[in-house]
Structure formats: C-alpha cells, structure tokens
Amino acid sequence: MAENDSKISMRNKKVYQSEPFSPRAEYFNKFTGRESELRFVTAAWIAGDSSLPMSPLLIGEPGVGKNRLIYELAQKTGRQLYIFQGHEDVTSEDLACTVRFSDQTGSVMDYMISPLVTAMYNGGICFIDEIGKIRPRALALLVSVLDERRYIDSTLLGERIHAHPGFRFVAATNTADLNLLPEFIISRMRPQINIGYPPREEIDDILREQCKGIKKEVEKLIDLFWMLWTDHGGKIGAIAPRDAIYLFGWASKLSSFETTGGPKTLMESSLEKPYQLTEGHSFTGIRPEHLKQAFQKLFTDRPAIKD
Amino acid sequence: MFPAIKINGSTIEAVPAVHYRLEFAREVNKLCFCYETRPEAVAVELGPHLTSAIVTWMKELGVSPLKETELPCMLGLLYNNRLIHPEYQETALVLQAHSGKPLNEISPELRRQFLNYSDKYLAGLSSTDSIFEAIRCSIELNIPVYGIDMDEFSARQGKRVLVEEPNGRDFGLPQYVFKYSGIAAMCRDPYVDGRREYTMAARLKSLAGQHKRILFTCGLAHWEMLQKLIKDPAIRPAEILIPEGSYNFTRVIIHPRIAVTFMDIYPVLTTLYERNRQNPLNNSKDRLSIPEAGRICHNILEKVCSRYFIEYKTCSKEKKTNYNIQRIPDFERLVSNMQIVKQHFAPSLADLIDCARSMMTPEFCDLLSTQLMDIDRPWASSGQFPDLPMVSRLPDNSEQKENKVTVDFFNLTESAKDLMHPKPTVKKRSGPFTIDYRNAIPVPEYLLRFWKWEDEPDVPRGTGGCFDWVWPPCEALLFGAAYEASKMAVTRSNEHVSAVFEGSLYNGLDIKTTIRSATTGEKKIYIRKPSSTRKTFYPDGKKPEPTVFIFDDPSPETKSKWSLLIAGTNLRSHLNDKTGFDKIVSKYGGYFVSSISRIRYQPVPSETAGLVVSYSILDGITAFGNPCINAKQGAQWLEDNNFKACPVLEDTSIDTLTDYYRKEHNMEISEKDWKTAMIRFAIPFAKGRIVVVAPRNFRVSNKLHFEARKRNISIDQLPLSYFPVEQIAEMRQRFIVRAKDNDGLTFPPEAEKALGQKADKYLELLPLYMQQQLRKK
Ligand SMILES: Nc1ncnc2c1ncn2[C@@H]1O[C@H](COP(=O)(O)OP(=O)(O)OP(=O)(O)O)[C@@H](O)[C@H]1O
Ligand SMILES: [Mg+2]
C-alpha cells in the first residue's frame, strides 16, 4: 500500500491532514442565483500583500443554502475546501489537532490536524459550519487565526502554525444560534452576511432544474406549489430551497411509487418477484395530486407558519 | 457624432440611454445647446398622454425659454394600470381556479406576486433622466415634443443585464451605445417591447416627414431593434393618433425613499446636475461639468467618517462601545473590493449601505444613510407643495428582518397645515396599492428604513409610522370611569309586569288583567308594576359597550373640534386573523376609530414642551369600548369583536365618518348637534346598551330612545355628578405624547417626569381583562 500522501511532516512529527471536501456532482443540483452573496464573500476575501482577507460570517435560516454557497465559492476560486462541523462537544484542541491510535506499526499515536489547520497549512478555505453550536470556551484558539496574527497554537503538537497567504476563512450559523457566539469571536468575524430566502425566481429555477423532464407541466406545478404555500400562510418566495427541493422530491417519489403499481404491487411482491427500490424516471410523472399529497405531508400536518 | 439615423432627408439624432444616469441627460442637453445639432422637434419613449401631462406640469413649475429653472426633487405622476402581461395567462387561470375567485377579488399581494400586476404606475420627474431632460429642453427651445411610445402596456418580471457603468468625464455616447446596446437588448420582452418598438418606429418615420432634425431618446435596450425597424420599408409611417379615453394622472410628491429609485447612483448628483445644467438657449461657455461619481463617494465617506469620529470622541464612556473606529479601514476595503467584483466605477448606494451594515455599528449606518440622502437642498415636501398628495411606502413591520420577498404597498397622503403643529400633518390617506416603477429597479426598503426625513409630514395619532399616542393614564382614567359607569347605570325599563294589588298601586291599575281575572272568577285586582327583573349587565372588558361622556356645553365662542382617535397602526402585525382584517380593510379602509370626541386645544404646558405633542380638553367623547392604550391592545379588542366594534374608515375626517354612517348604517348624522351625534355614533355598535354619562339636566331625547329601542338596545344615563369634580377635571385632559415606538408600547422616561406620573398610572381602574391585554408582552 502506498503511503497516504495526506501525511506531512511538521518538525519531525508525521502528521495526518484532514481530507478536503469535494462535492460529488451527481448529488448536487445545478447551482442557481445568489449572485450578490457570491460577490459579497468574494469581496471580503480579496486580499493582497498589504491587506489581509476578511473572515465573513454567514447568517441564515436552516436550509437556505449557506453550505451550498461555500461549495460553490470553493469551486469558483479553485481552492480546496476544508469543512469543520461545529457541535456542542467540540473542544478547544479539536479545532487544531487530535490524536488517535495508530494503525501503523512502529508508531503508537497519530497526529491528525484539523480541517482548520490543514486549510491554513495548504492555503485552502476553512469553513466552520454551525459555529454557533460550538461552546464559547472551545473557540478561544480561533482568535489568533482571525486577527492579524493569523496563526494557531496547538499544545498537542507543540507547534505554532502560520497561515499560508492563500488561506481563507468563513463560518456559518443559523440565525437562532447567533447570540450564542461570544463577543470576542463575533467582533472578529466581518462582514456578517445575511443569507435570506432566495427570491421567488431562484426557487422557481431550482425547481425547473429539478424537474427538467417535464418542462411543460412544471410551470403549472410551480404555480400550484406557491398557491398551496400561500394558502398555508407562507409568503411567496419565503421558503428555504431545501424545503422546496424536498417537497418536489417527495412528490416525485409518490409518482414513481404509483407507476410501479403502488401499494398493491408492494403487497404482492415476493422473493421471486421483488419490489424495485430504485426509482425509474424521477421527476417526470408528478401530477398535481402528488404535489398536494406531499405538501400535506410536509407542511399541513405541521403547524402553520407564523409570522 | 451621435448615433443617428437618416431617413428621407431628415436626421434623427438619438440618445439611447441608461435611465436616470446623468451622462445621458447631459448628452441630450449638449445636443440641444450646440447650434449645429439643435433639433426642430423632440421625441421621447413615453406615451403621448403622459408626455403632454409632463409638459403641462413642467411649464407650471416654471420651465420656459426665458430662464433657468430647478426641478424639485422629486415630483411624479401616478396612473392606473389595467393590463396583465400575456405571459401570466396560464397562471391567472390556475390562480382563479385554485382560489375560486375572479381576478379582481384576488388580493393585490397575490396579483403582484403571481401575475406581476401592480395597481399603479409611477413615473418620477427625474432631472438626470434623458427623457425628462429632453422634454424640458423642448419647452426651453420652444419646439414640439412627441411622446411616441404606447401609453399603456403590461409588465412582466424584469430581467437585468450587466452593462458597464457609464463613467462621468470620459464618457462617449457613441462608443457606449455601440458596445452595449446589443447586450442591453437581451433584457427586452419580445411581446410588449416588440409592439412598442413597432409603434415608435412607425411614429418616428412619420415625424421625420415633418421635421428635418429630430432628437430622440429612449432606453438603450430598444435601440438595436428601433434601428432595424426604421430601416425596414415595410413599416409605414404612422400618425400619433391620440387614443380615446382619458388617463388619470395624479400629480404627486414622491417620498425621498422612493425617489432614490429614479435618481443617479448618489442622490446628491441630482442637485449637482441641476446646478450645472443650463437652459440650452443660454450661451454661456461652461457647459455641465460634474465631478466623477468616485469623487463624490469619497467625499461622502470622508464626511461620514469624520462625523463618526466626532461622535465617538464626544459620547459618554458607556456609549463608546457603539463605535468601532478601528474597523473603518476594513469597511473601506470591502467597499472597494465590492467595486472590483461588481465592475463599478463607484459603489452604488445599496452596496455602500450593505457593506456598512455587515461591517459597522448601527451608528455608522445611520450617519452613512443620512449623508447619502443629503441632496444639499430640501427634498420636495408637503410643506413646499401643500396641494399635492405624497406617495410613500407603507411600513411593513410584520417582518423585522430584511426580506426580499415581501410585496411593497404604497399609499397617498394629503397633508394640511394645522395651527397646533409646526409641520404639515397628514389629513387624509388613501388605501394601500401596489406600484410598478417605470424603468426603474426599486431601492430595497430595508436599506433606507432607518433614515429619518426631517420634512416627513406629522401624522395624527396612530397612523402609519406614527409615534403619537394618548398618554396612557388619561385613557385609563377615562375608560376606568366608563367601566365604573357601566356597572352603576340603571336600565330604564319601560316594561311592566302585572301583579296582584298588595297595597301599592305602582303604575296604576292593570284594567285588562283585572277584567280577565274577574271573568275567570278569580276576582283579584291587578296593578302594573315596573319589571323587577331588570336587565343586568356584566361588563367583562372583552366585548365592552360604547360609553358616551358629555362634560360640558362650551359657550359658542370657544370652538371645540371633532377628533377621531384610532386603535393604532401596524394592527395587522398583532393579529392572528390577518385575512379577516384584510377583508375589512380592503372594504372600508385602514382606520379603526376607537373614539370620537369634541376637543379644545390648549397651549402645551411649558414644562412638557418637546415631549407632549398636543394638549386638549374634552367636551365630550364617544368611546367605543376599549382604550386602545397601545396597538396590541387595540388589535386584540378588534379581533375579539370580529372587527365589528367600531367604525372603519379610509381617513379620520368627520366627513368621512358621517359618510360612513350614511352608507353603512343608513343614518344621517348631523354634526351640528354634537351631543345627539355622539350618542347616535354609538348606537350601531352597542350590543345591549349605551351608557351616557352627562350632567343631570341633560336629557336623552325620546327620539333617541326610540331609535335605540328599534335596534333593541337601551340608552342608560348616569349623572356626571356621580364622579368627583376633580376626577372629572382630570378625565377631560388629553395629552398626546410621542411614544418610543410605533405601537405606543413604551414612553420615554422624560415624559413620565415632565407629566409627573408613571405611564401605567390608573391602569388598575380598567376591567381585569383589559389590564391583562396590557400586561401581555
Ligand atoms: N442557490 C441554490 N441553487 C440550487 N440549490 C440550492 C441553492 N441553495 C441551496 N440549494 C440546495 O438546498 C439544500 C440546502 O442547502 P444547504 O445545506 O446549503 O443549506 P444550509 O443553509 O447550510 O442549511 P443548514 O442551516 O441546515 O446547515 C441543498 O440541497 C442545496 O443543494
Ligand atoms: Mg449548513
């Protein structure tokens, strides 16, 4: 087996890097709109010899597309993207380096540098997702990364790692968690960019893209969707892309379930004649009833939107 | 060389323009000034009706060959829209089928969102727009001007394309048009724009037969197509046949927050343009020179920063944290990076504010928006144009955070000077409507939300964006008294019961019953006795009855006035049943009248000056039941009573009120006899009775009793003397105080100090239910 090339050497210590994230194209729909947000983050990241890049904080409701925006930016700027997932149990040292028992003969422990440090080392982008979920104490190490010092001290490694000039930083938080962030972090994260719901046309475009196979019917379905949404108390356009995508995904499943013969076929299936779990032509057979059913399931059975 | 077309020996010099950018207006002015290019006629991309309305108005505003003028900033014309774009035909059908309603009954919000249909169009008389410049020059040169576009056409959702910013000094029109007219054309709407261009081409051809040299200006996007069509021999010249039918153009003042939409990137550019612009007949050498937008931006930022710095240095220690001086360089860097990624020569107003909001404290954003909105002269206001209504955007408080998805509503307000107020006050308001801006992409509301306009007309209590509320203790005391009265007043019952004579005759013999008793052999004497089972009322505060107080009959020379108070603004945001509310509002109007009173203004006590907006003494009041101390309480009262507890009007004038009673309740109420009027105002809103608190000698006429009985209610009186004299004197005082918020929820502590009482004094006098309404957070 060839040696893992993610292993680097830091002052005689062999250290494993974190894996960069590379979005797999087949799992992603086409990216739509968000021009001004893309520009905003880009403007914050432009830096040169005499000026440091800024560290934007994206703020928005769940599912509006904060992650997606960053994936897109990483691709557009051609940089490696390292994602650090924030949660309640992150410790201060997790942000820099962790150790684990080695699978290699000859060494007992392996050092694993965090996505943040890997990005700093390689000049990639570090994205801390859900930064608001990390406890304030654990964020202390980040301070020196975010100001003009641009380094991080790892006690475990016994190293100070300075950021590569190409290093860029961004974090995201749900609106609700914003006030959990300590002042010493908030004040260093600028600009603060609100990621609102995309305008209606962008949602429409996302749905059109999703339902490419039924160009003709999709317009009516989209209209119907917005009507259901307004009946339900929502504002037109005020929906997270995730919910919209999910809704149409569900409708599509309902339709393909129907084409496979529906409940009857499922019941009659057997080992000899198994029920097909893979969808055939998704997003092609959606009819208004499917959309209505899916809508009912997803939204109506939940309490109405309050504004 | 200007882009020009020659046909039949005539020359059409064109200025295809980016709307509202002064570079293009300047080109028009130049063309008119140079003797060699001076046109014989002007044609513009506007409908003939709209054009002639603008010409007439500009002349009235003083535009003439003889002098230099300055166009106010900003006036506009508002007119109705009737058309929906054919692209939405399918959607319109689905929408009607789904909602089961015809289009005209579907809410304006949905019509806007699904069909891109707006009730009205607004055209702003913008100095820096090539079209308005061309019209203005035509008046100054005294040559004909033709509106060659169609007057009416529908709109679909606009598309935007990226064209380079025209940049100030080095700007060359022909190069610019050559480079970008093709790109701009990509946002054309083939259906509507195609028809318009066809019309314009045909009309231009006909004009070319009449004039040797024509100046024509239109949007850049039309130019490619127009050139083609004009060259196309298949398109016949067409006269401008002014179509039948009248258009109602309403002249309006455009609120600055909307006006920015019709302006060059920085509002101040309009003033610079006006100051540099010359009547084309004026022969002076120095033509229009205006500093680069970049320089202007630089100046603006410099001023903002130095103010910010001064504020920082002079503010108290605790407030220092509201300033982050050290972040200014980063802010400036972000702004310039933004320019790079947007390819702008100068950052737009929206970009500046967006950057500030994401980087700096609110104090900085405030200073910045104030500076950006400073046009170095006053904005056109109601004070300057008392006869014109003002179109402004309705505040949308339902969503505190910025939101791109809400539909903006607008209304028209008419103002009047009132002796009590230094500034004009809002007198009348239209209902809400939606607007499409001609040729412009609106500057989002949230960007300028915190900018305060000095000349904002003052609003009487409780109307949009208003902070003036009756001082809560005044209301609490008065309504507490009403509550007390409702418990004390006795229903004068005319019903009798027959009873066996037992010693007292009461109301005399009951002959019929006595005879009947005799015939049955009972042989008892019956008398008539007042019913002892009187109706009793248990006022609970949830569905309160109206109460009328009549305090005094002022001598004829001390004139008292009508005053209508309303339940609050932003009621909608405090309601659960928004649809029910919307229905009522769209039917009757947005003003829920919570009381009608006769008041006499008094001088504001000096120690309360600056805090108390007005001070008055009540001669009488019809209170519909709930004090509506703040908007939340008002909203709950309305909702508890299905919005039927009080009159709902389009404005708060007494005429509208009497119209309302005539129309909705078939009551002709004369305001001459105000006491009778007050009681009659209450009748349709009583569920069981009205309590009238009045001096002992006041008699409710039999006619009134009769009218009440017909509606199955009673009018019960309580003598005013039931209340101690001092309490009455205090009940009659009404202080209007500026609250700290729109909804009257909090008042500045200085007001409590100056008035010598806490804002929650007397609240305990109200029914428990009302107290709870106020306690709710
Ligand atoms: N502009 C867009 N174009 C196409 N798809 C989008 C766009 N924005 C978001 N999506 C899709 O919507 C879904 C949710 O996006 P994403 O996970 O980025 O949201 P998020 O804001 O990070 O949510 P959370 O707050 O829950 O982490 C994803 O499937 C993403 O692909
Ligand atoms: Mg996320």
Side-chain angles (χ1 to χ4, degrees), chain B residues 588-619:
Chain B
Y588 302 105
Y591 292 83
F592 291 79
V593 177
S594 59
S595 74
I596 303 164
S597 38
R598 293 286 292 185
I599 59 168
R600 281 179 277 156
Y601 279 112
Q602 310 291 315
V604 172
S606 58
E607 66 277 14
T608 63
L611 297 162
V612 168
V613 180
S614 76
Y615 170 43
S616 50
I617 293 287
L618 300 178
D619 283 336

Short mmCIF file of all heavy atoms in Angstrom, two decimals, chain B residues 588-619:
data_model
loop_
_atom_site.label_atom_id
_atom_site.label_comp_id
_atom_site.label_asym_id
_atom_site.label_seq_id
_atom_site.Cartn_x
_atom_site.Cartn_y
_atom_site.Cartn_z
N TYR B 588 -63.46 48.75 3.81
CA TYR B 588 -63.78 50.05 4.41
C TYR B 588 -62.61 51.01 4.50
O TYR B 588 -62.78 52.22 4.49
CB TYR B 588 -64.33 49.86 5.83
CG TYR B 588 -65.55 48.99 5.91
CD1 TYR B 588 -65.48 47.70 6.39
CD2 TYR B 588 -66.80 49.50 5.50
CE1 TYR B 588 -66.60 46.90 6.47
CE2 TYR B 588 -67.92 48.71 5.58
CZ TYR B 588 -67.83 47.41 6.06
OH TYR B 588 -68.93 46.63 6.14
N GLY B 589 -61.41 50.49 4.68
CA GLY B 589 -60.26 51.36 4.89
C GLY B 589 -59.46 50.88 6.08
O GLY B 589 -59.84 49.91 6.74
N GLY B 590 -58.38 51.57 6.35
CA GLY B 590 -57.45 51.05 7.35
C GLY B 590 -57.57 51.70 8.72
O GLY B 590 -56.74 51.48 9.59
N TYR B 591 -58.58 52.54 8.92
CA TYR B 591 -58.66 53.26 10.19
C TYR B 591 -59.79 52.76 11.07
O TYR B 591 -60.95 52.94 10.75
CB TYR B 591 -58.81 54.76 9.93
CG TYR B 591 -57.58 55.33 9.31
CD1 TYR B 591 -57.35 55.25 7.95
CD2 TYR B 591 -56.60 55.90 10.11
CE1 TYR B 591 -56.19 55.74 7.38
CE2 TYR B 591 -55.43 56.39 9.56
CZ TYR B 591 -55.24 56.30 8.19
OH TYR B 591 -54.09 56.77 7.65
N PHE B 592 -59.43 52.14 12.15
CA PHE B 592 -60.42 51.64 13.09
C PHE B 592 -60.58 52.71 14.16
O PHE B 592 -59.67 52.92 14.97
CB PHE B 592 -59.96 50.31 13.68
CG PHE B 592 -59.95 49.20 12.67
CD1 PHE B 592 -58.92 49.07 11.76
CD2 PHE B 592 -61.01 48.29 12.60
CE1 PHE B 592 -58.92 48.06 10.81
CE2 PHE B 592 -61.02 47.27 11.65
CZ PHE B 592 -59.97 47.16 10.75
N VAL B 593 -61.73 53.37 14.14
CA VAL B 593 -61.93 54.52 15.03
C VAL B 593 -62.30 54.02 16.41
O VAL B 593 -63.33 53.37 16.59
CB VAL B 593 -63.05 55.42 14.48
CG1 VAL B 593 -63.30 56.58 15.42
CG2 VAL B 593 -62.67 55.92 13.10
N SER B 594 -61.46 54.32 17.40
CA SER B 594 -61.76 53.81 18.74
C SER B 594 -62.53 54.82 19.58
O SER B 594 -63.17 54.45 20.54
CB SER B 594 -60.48 53.39 19.45
OG SER B 594 -59.62 54.49 19.56
N SER B 595 -62.44 56.09 19.21
CA SER B 595 -63.27 57.07 19.91
C SER B 595 -63.48 58.30 19.03
O SER B 595 -62.69 58.58 18.14
CB SER B 595 -62.62 57.49 21.23
OG SER B 595 -61.52 58.34 20.97
N ILE B 596 -64.59 58.98 19.32
CA ILE B 596 -64.90 60.22 18.61
C ILE B 596 -65.11 61.27 19.68
O ILE B 596 -65.91 61.07 20.59
CB ILE B 596 -66.20 60.06 17.80
CG1 ILE B 596 -66.08 58.88 16.83
CG2 ILE B 596 -66.56 61.35 17.06
CD1 ILE B 596 -67.42 58.41 16.28
N SER B 597 -64.37 62.36 19.61
CA SER B 597 -64.54 63.33 20.69
C SER B 597 -64.60 64.76 20.17
O SER B 597 -64.29 65.03 19.01
CB SER B 597 -63.41 63.17 21.70
OG SER B 597 -62.20 62.88 21.06
N ARG B 598 -65.07 65.61 21.08
CA ARG B 598 -65.02 67.06 20.83
C ARG B 598 -63.93 67.59 21.73
O ARG B 598 -63.96 67.39 22.95
CB ARG B 598 -66.35 67.71 21.21
CG ARG B 598 -67.50 67.30 20.34
CD ARG B 598 -67.46 67.93 18.98
NE ARG B 598 -67.68 69.36 19.02
CZ ARG B 598 -67.78 70.11 17.91
NH1 ARG B 598 -67.65 69.54 16.71
NH2 ARG B 598 -67.98 71.39 17.99
N ILE B 599 -62.98 68.26 21.15
CA ILE B 599 -61.87 68.73 21.98
C ILE B 599 -61.58 70.20 21.74
O ILE B 599 -61.95 70.76 20.70
CB ILE B 599 -60.58 67.93 21.70
CG1 ILE B 599 -60.19 68.05 20.23
CG2 ILE B 599 -60.74 66.47 22.07
CD1 ILE B 599 -58.81 67.53 19.94
N ARG B 600 -60.96 70.80 22.71
CA ARG B 600 -60.45 72.16 22.55
C ARG B 600 -58.96 72.13 22.83
O ARG B 600 -58.54 71.69 23.90
CB ARG B 600 -61.14 73.10 23.55
CG ARG B 600 -62.51 73.52 23.09
CD ARG B 600 -63.16 74.41 24.11
NE ARG B 600 -63.80 73.63 25.17
CZ ARG B 600 -64.03 74.12 26.37
NH1 ARG B 600 -63.64 75.33 26.69
NH2 ARG B 600 -64.64 73.38 27.29
N TYR B 601 -58.19 72.57 21.84
CA TYR B 601 -56.74 72.58 22.04
C TYR B 601 -56.34 73.62 23.06
O TYR B 601 -56.92 74.71 23.12
CB TYR B 601 -56.01 72.87 20.73
CG TYR B 601 -55.89 71.64 19.85
CD1 TYR B 601 -56.59 71.54 18.65
CD2 TYR B 601 -55.10 70.58 20.25
CE1 TYR B 601 -56.49 70.42 17.85
CE2 TYR B 601 -54.99 69.45 19.46
CZ TYR B 601 -55.68 69.37 18.26
OH TYR B 601 -55.57 68.25 17.49
N GLN B 602 -55.35 73.30 23.86
CA GLN B 602 -54.80 74.21 24.86
C GLN B 602 -53.31 74.36 24.57
O GLN B 602 -52.72 73.49 23.95
CB GLN B 602 -54.96 73.59 26.26
CG GLN B 602 -56.34 73.08 26.58
CD GLN B 602 -57.33 74.22 26.73
OE1 GLN B 602 -57.03 75.21 27.39
NE2 GLN B 602 -58.48 74.10 26.09
N PRO B 603 -52.74 75.44 25.04
CA PRO B 603 -51.29 75.53 24.87
C PRO B 603 -50.60 74.40 25.65
O PRO B 603 -51.04 74.06 26.76
CB PRO B 603 -50.92 76.89 25.47
CG PRO B 603 -52.16 77.43 26.09
CD PRO B 603 -53.34 76.62 25.66
N VAL B 604 -49.58 73.85 25.07
CA VAL B 604 -48.85 72.77 25.74
C VAL B 604 -48.09 73.36 26.93
O VAL B 604 -47.38 74.35 26.78
CB VAL B 604 -47.86 72.11 24.76
CG1 VAL B 604 -46.96 71.13 25.48
CG2 VAL B 604 -48.61 71.43 23.63
N PRO B 605 -48.28 72.80 28.13
CA PRO B 605 -47.56 73.33 29.30
C PRO B 605 -46.06 73.35 29.03
O PRO B 605 -45.51 72.40 28.48
CB PRO B 605 -47.89 72.31 30.40
CG PRO B 605 -49.11 71.58 29.93
CD PRO B 605 -49.11 71.64 28.45
N SER B 606 -45.43 74.44 29.43
CA SER B 606 -44.04 74.64 29.01
C SER B 606 -43.11 73.53 29.52
O SER B 606 -42.18 73.14 28.85
CB SER B 606 -43.54 76.00 29.48
OG SER B 606 -43.67 76.06 30.88
N GLU B 607 -43.42 73.02 30.74
CA GLU B 607 -42.50 72.02 31.27
C GLU B 607 -42.57 70.70 30.50
O GLU B 607 -41.70 69.85 30.64
CB GLU B 607 -42.74 71.79 32.77
CG GLU B 607 -44.07 71.17 33.15
CD GLU B 607 -45.21 72.19 33.26
OE1 GLU B 607 -45.02 73.33 32.78
OE2 GLU B 607 -46.27 71.85 33.79
N THR B 608 -43.59 70.55 29.66
CA THR B 608 -43.68 69.30 28.90
C THR B 608 -43.35 69.50 27.44
O THR B 608 -43.48 68.59 26.62
CB THR B 608 -45.10 68.70 28.99
OG1 THR B 608 -46.00 69.63 28.38
CG2 THR B 608 -45.51 68.42 30.40
N ALA B 609 -42.94 70.72 27.08
CA ALA B 609 -42.66 71.02 25.68
C ALA B 609 -41.63 70.05 25.13
O ALA B 609 -40.70 69.64 25.83
CB ALA B 609 -42.16 72.45 25.54
N GLY B 610 -41.81 69.65 23.89
CA GLY B 610 -40.87 68.72 23.28
C GLY B 610 -41.25 67.28 23.54
O GLY B 610 -40.84 66.39 22.82
N LEU B 611 -42.06 67.04 24.56
CA LEU B 611 -42.47 65.67 24.86
C LEU B 611 -43.94 65.48 24.53
O LEU B 611 -44.34 64.49 23.93
CB LEU B 611 -42.24 65.37 26.34
CG LEU B 611 -40.77 65.42 26.76
CD1 LEU B 611 -40.64 65.55 28.26
CD2 LEU B 611 -40.05 64.16 26.28
N VAL B 612 -44.72 66.49 24.96
CA VAL B 612 -46.15 66.42 24.68
C VAL B 612 -46.39 67.06 23.32
O VAL B 612 -45.96 68.17 23.05
CB VAL B 612 -46.93 67.16 25.78
CG1 VAL B 612 -48.37 67.34 25.37
CG2 VAL B 612 -46.84 66.37 27.07
N VAL B 613 -47.04 66.30 22.45
CA VAL B 613 -47.27 66.78 21.10
C VAL B 613 -48.44 67.75 21.08
O VAL B 613 -48.42 68.76 20.40
CB VAL B 613 -47.55 65.59 20.15
CG1 VAL B 613 -47.79 66.08 18.75
CG2 VAL B 613 -46.40 64.62 20.20
N SER B 614 -49.48 67.44 21.85
CA SER B 614 -50.58 68.39 21.96
C SER B 614 -51.32 68.14 23.27
O SER B 614 -51.21 67.08 23.88
CB SER B 614 -51.54 68.27 20.78
OG SER B 614 -52.34 67.13 20.93
N TYR B 615 -52.05 69.17 23.67
CA TYR B 615 -52.79 69.08 24.92
C TYR B 615 -54.17 69.62 24.64
O TYR B 615 -54.32 70.67 24.03
CB TYR B 615 -52.07 69.91 25.98
CG TYR B 615 -52.86 70.11 27.26
CD1 TYR B 615 -53.57 69.06 27.84
CD2 TYR B 615 -52.89 71.36 27.88
CE1 TYR B 615 -54.30 69.24 29.00
CE2 TYR B 615 -53.60 71.55 29.06
CZ TYR B 615 -54.32 70.49 29.62
OH TYR B 615 -55.04 70.68 30.77
N SER B 616 -55.19 68.88 25.04
CA SER B 616 -56.54 69.35 24.79
C SER B 616 -57.47 68.96 25.93
O SER B 616 -57.15 68.11 26.76
CB SER B 616 -57.06 68.80 23.47
OG SER B 616 -56.86 67.41 23.43
N ILE B 617 -58.62 69.65 25.93
CA ILE B 617 -59.66 69.38 26.93
C ILE B 617 -60.85 68.81 26.18
O ILE B 617 -61.24 69.32 25.13
CB ILE B 617 -60.06 70.70 27.63
CG1 ILE B 617 -58.90 71.25 28.47
CG2 ILE B 617 -61.31 70.51 28.48
CD1 ILE B 617 -58.62 70.49 29.73
N LEU B 618 -61.41 67.76 26.76
CA LEU B 618 -62.56 67.12 26.11
C LEU B 618 -63.86 67.81 26.53
O LEU B 618 -64.08 68.06 27.71
CB LEU B 618 -62.65 65.66 26.54
CG LEU B 618 -61.49 64.73 26.24
CD1 LEU B 618 -61.79 63.34 26.80
CD2 LEU B 618 -61.27 64.65 24.75
N ASP B 619 -64.74 68.06 25.56
CA ASP B 619 -66.10 68.47 25.88
C ASP B 619 -67.02 67.26 25.90
O ASP B 619 -68.04 67.26 26.57
CB ASP B 619 -66.60 69.49 24.86
CG ASP B 619 -65.99 70.86 25.13
OD1 ASP B 619 -65.60 71.11 26.28
OD2 ASP B 619 -65.90 71.66 24.18
#
